[in-house]
Amino acid sequence: MTRGLRLVGSAEIRAMLGGVYRQRVYQITSHRSFPEPVAHLQMGNVWLTEDVEAWLAEHRPGLDES
């Protein structure tokens, strides 16, 4: 069984961060400590979900990721 890629965009990251403003998501995802996007699409960048979850666990440990 193959496992598909789990991807997130800025809207999902915004929700993972507790509903911060879109500008704040841009600031966070632009920081050099944030994982590199896996694709640059016309609608925006996308990241691997596990990369973002790992970043959140390290940099925002108080957030509930569920």
Side-chain angles (χ1 to χ4, degrees), residues 14-59:
R14 181 178 180 202
M16 293 167 87
L17 287 166
V20 298
Y21 289 107
R22 285 182 288 169
Q23 181 62 31
R24 182 66 181 137
V25 172
Y26 175 78
Q27 291 171 343
I28 291 169
T29 58
S30 296
H31 195 271
R32 68 177 180 236
S33 72
F34 200 80
E36 288 292 319
V38 293
H40 304 278
L41 306 176
Q42 186 174 8
M43 294 179 67
N45 295 333
V46 290
W47 293 262
L48 290 173
T49 302
E50 57 264 21
D51 289 350
V52 174
E53 288 172 344
W55 186 91
L56 287 170
E58 181 180 345
H59 296 277

